[in-house]
Amino acid sequence: MYDWVRCALKEIIITSLYEELKKYGDSDHYPYHMPGHKRKETDYLPKAFSEIDITEIDGFDNLHNPEGIIKEAQEFAAKAVGADRTYFLVGGSTSGVLAAISAAVKPGGKIIIVRNAHKSAYNAIGLRGIKTAYVFPKVNEELGFVEAVTSEGINEAIKNNPDASAVFIVSPTYEGRIAKVREIAKIVHDAGLTLIVDEAHGAHLPFAKDVDGYGESAISGGADIVIQSAHKTLPAPTQTALLHVNGNRVDVSKIERYLHIYQTSSPSYPLMAGLDGSVRLMADKGAELLKDLRGRYNRLVSEINEKCKAVGIFNPKDGVQDIGKCVISVKGENVGKQLADILREKYHLETEMCGEKYVLAMFTVFDGDEAFDRMRQALFEIDEDIESLTAESDFIGIDIKPEILHTIAEVWEVESEDVPLDKSEGRVAAEFVNLYPPGTPLLVPGEKITKEIIDLIKRYKIQGLNVIGLRDGDISVEL
């Protein structure tokens, strides 16, 4: 860990949950309870972990009925981010998205949803038999990723779907594009609907409200339910997330009911302690750490864009690009996978994901000088040897609007078969086909498979991108 982060950690008060877990681990209490490792060190479990890995024993509360230490931790988090209520999630944002949609939309109801929503939203739609009205945000013509949804797009969708009961949007997007949630919230609420925001990539935004250069969090922007993946942009363990509620448009008892259903009945105390700790760190030092990140990131962007002849970092001037989401490309070239491979194999820099025309690297408050120096040097060297990167063919893009023939729930209840992708044109998709990451669908069950979609899937496979949903080249279709 970098010295400047270590100093920040020393200055904060140890989280109450971790402190109590550590105190119990150091005591002479013998665990005649789960888990089976009995708080002992093993070859595969370090002592620091096993000592605090307990079950719901006296004094340590219960995530599914919090009345003590977990309740206090959740209340602290809500106050820190400005929400009315906050719930800890140990099943990632996935469990929060499932619970939010289930609570806001009745079975068989309709939801207005951006097409670039995560697969967890589509699973909730399928489980509840919900009908969808899609909003297709604009595709960035230069780089091919999906932009943030606009208030105009949401307004039009609401007018065309008066029977919808909720609106679901993503902000920031995987590539860091931030929607004008405040404008969207007003439109949604004026229509009497509930606004759910998947802010999985924006858990840091509530702590940046006093730091110039960052967008506004959906929490202060007026959303009714906001789901954040703490592990994505905060120093929190993988699998930890937060669900925030504002106002009374959604019955919180329903949210709690579905969180009981979608979350494990045996939540991990080390994960909850790590989640609590990351929130407390950001509440105490977040503005300082985010200012530091902003300075380092902006210097990297400026130096690369000013000094490199071909390599560039996406840097729009519209004020809605999240700091830390570093979208790297080679001007005019379709070499995203090649660029990611070079960064990994030659420079040992593991990026988050790649598209056809870009690579996404993520920076957070725990990235110090080494992270920025290594990326800067690698991009300078790659730019000097740019001729080694060659595009195999022209860029196609992803601006496709499939035809919906059945709901997800309807298709899940019928028989299906696997057919070669080349022979699937005109058939109805029976399973999701996703580019993962980011996990947004190319095809949703119930949609018609077209030649355009087939060509796009084949193209991604040729490029070496990670397409999920095919089995040995076959695609599942409705019988």
Side-chain angles (χ1 to χ4, degrees):
M1 186 182 295
Y2 304 110
D3 290 339
W4 63 278
V5 174
R6 186 181 295 111
C7 290
L9 286 169
K10 284 182 179 179
E11 292 175 16
I12 69 168
I13 298 172
I14 297 176
T15 72
S16 57
L17 181 54
Y18 176 74
E19 185 178 37
E20 291 304 313
L21 288 170
K22 188 69 171 64
K23 188 186 302 182
Y24 182 76
D26 291 338
S27 73
D28 65 352
H29 285 73
Y30 190 86
Y32 292 96
H33 57 74
M34 301 179 286
H37 58 65
K38 297 302 182 108
R39 296 194 286 111
K40 290 183 170 58
E41 182 176 14
T42 71
D43 292 339
Y44 52 87
L45 284 180
K47 182 179 181 182
F49 179 90
S50 60
E51 279 187 337
I52 65 171
D53 185 26
I54 62 170
T55 189
E56 293 91 344
I57 59 176
D58 187 52
F60 285 92
D61 211 356
N62 186 321
L63 180 62
H64 291 284
N65 184 35
E67 297 177 335
I69 195 168
I70 295 175
K71 179 176 183 286
E72 293 170 1
Q74 292 185 147
E75 289 175 346
F76 178 92
K79 184 177 180 180
V81 302
D84 291 345
R85 290 173 180 263
T86 292
Y87 298 90
F88 282 6
L89 307 177
V90 292
S93 282
T94 291
S95 59
V97 169
L98 288 167
I101 292 177
S102 297
V105 186
K106 294 179 180 179
K110 179 183 282 189
I111 190 169
I112 295 169
I113 182 170
V114 290
R115 178 66 182 198
N116 60 314
H118 187 262
K119 63 180 181 179
S120 57
Y122 291 92
N123 284 332
I125 288 166
L127 288 170
R128 301 283 284 171
I130 296 170
K131 303 179 182 67
T132 54
Y134 290 122
V135 179
F136 292 88
K138 179 183 176 182
V139 174
N140 183 285
E141 294 181 0
E142 180 184 358
L143 295 174
F145 57 71
V146 177
E147 294 279 1
V149 67
T150 64
S151 55
E152 292 81 6
I154 295 298
N155 189 45
E156 182 180 359
I158 291 175
K159 289 180 179 178
N160 293 334
N161 297 276
D163 54 338
S165 56
V167 174
F168 185 98
I169 69 171
V170 175
S171 178
T173 66
Y174 212 108
E175 290 80 9
R177 305 300 281 153
I178 300 177
K180 296 180 180 179
V181 176
R182 187 174 293 274
E183 291 181 9
I184 292 172
K186 185 178 187 310
I187 292 169
V188 172
H189 294 158
D190 285 349
L193 308 184
T194 299
L195 177 60
I196 306 169
V197 179
D198 179 350
E199 197 172 75
H201 286 265
H204 59 296
L205 293 181
F207 306 101
K209 59 181 180 296
D210 297 322
V211 184
D212 292 338
Y214 290 88
E216 183 179 24
S217 169
I219 298 170
S220 57
D224 302 298
I225 307 176
V226 180
I227 306 101
Q228 299 173 329
S229 287
H231 70 93
K232 285 182 168 63
T233 60
L234 300 187
T238 296
Q239 203 172 310
T240 57
L242 300 159
L243 185 149
H244 310 287
V245 181
N246 278 322
N248 56 9
R249 288 184 178 84
V250 179
D251 186 344
V252 294
S253 67
K254 289 185 177 180
I255 292 176
E256 292 172 359
R257 177 196 304 157
Y258 289 109
L259 285 176
H260 297 335
I261 293 171
Y262 294 127
Q263 293 214 92
T264 175
S265 60
S266 301
S268 164
Y269 276 85
L271 290 185
M272 289 189 286
L275 175 58
D276 183 28
S278 71
V279 171
R280 291 177 185 268
L281 170 63
M282 294 302 290
D284 188 49
K285 298 291 183 182
E288 176 185 335
L289 296 174
L290 288 164
K291 284 179 183 177
D292 189 88
L293 172 62
R294 179 194 61 191
R296 293 168 188 263
Y297 181 78
N298 287 345
R299 285 194 295 274
L300 173 68
V301 173
S302 296
E303 290 178 11
I304 295 302
N305 288 346
E306 289 173 7
K307 298 179 182 179
C308 289
K309 59 180 180 291
V311 173
I313 296 175
F314 182 63
N315 187 31
K317 304 302 181 184
D318 56 13
V320 291
Q321 176 64 18
D322 184 29
I323 289 172
K325 287 301 184 73
C326 189
V327 180
I328 308 164
S329 64
V330 176
K331 296 173 184 176
E333 296 294 336
N334 182 23
V335 291
K337 182 64 166 58
Q338 293 179 57
L339 184 57
D341 289 345
I342 291 172
L343 287 169
R344 179 190 310 108
E345 295 166 8
K346 183 175 181 179
Y347 298 97
H348 298 173
L349 304 180
E350 193 70 51
T351 54
E352 172 66 20
M353 65 161 287
C354 67
E356 287 190 274
K357 291 183 73 71
Y358 65 92
V359 169
L360 175 64
M362 291 176 59
F363 292 93
T364 75
V365 297
F366 265 36
D367 283 307
D369 289 336
E370 179 188 7
F372 287 92
D373 290 345
R374 288 182 65 180
M375 181 60 75
R376 181 184 294 107
Q377 185 60 37
L379 295 181
F380 280 155
E381 291 183 14
I382 291 170
D383 190 67
E384 287 297 316
D385 189 29
I386 203 65
E387 290 77 12
S388 64
L389 292 171
T390 56
E392 296 181 0
S393 54
D394 294 332
F395 176 61
I396 292 178
I398 57 173
D399 195 8
I400 293 175
K401 299 177 176 61
E403 179 182 357
I404 302 172
L405 300 180
H406 305 290
T407 67
I408 298 172
E410 288 170 344
V411 176
W412 280 355
E413 297 302 321
V414 301
E415 293 186 18
S416 62
E417 63 176 342
D418 290 348
V419 300
L421 181 62
D422 282 330
K423 297 181 184 291
S424 66
E425 184 177 354
R427 302 292 294 273
V428 178
E431 292 292 346
F432 292 99
V433 178
N434 301 299
L435 192 61
Y436 198 88
T440 56
L442 303 172
L443 271 174
V444 171
E447 293 179 346
K448 184 178 181 180
I449 303 172
T450 64
K451 183 179 185 303
E452 185 181 26
I453 294 172
I454 294 171
D455 289 344
L456 182 60
I457 294 172
K458 290 168 63 177
R459 169 59 174 271
Y460 283 157
K461 295 289 288 183
I462 291 171
Q463 290 286 333
L465 302 181
N466 193 24
V467 178
I468 303 296
L470 303 180
R471 299 186 184 93
D472 298 322
D474 290 351
I475 187 169
S476 181
V477 297
E478 181 182 318
L479 272 176

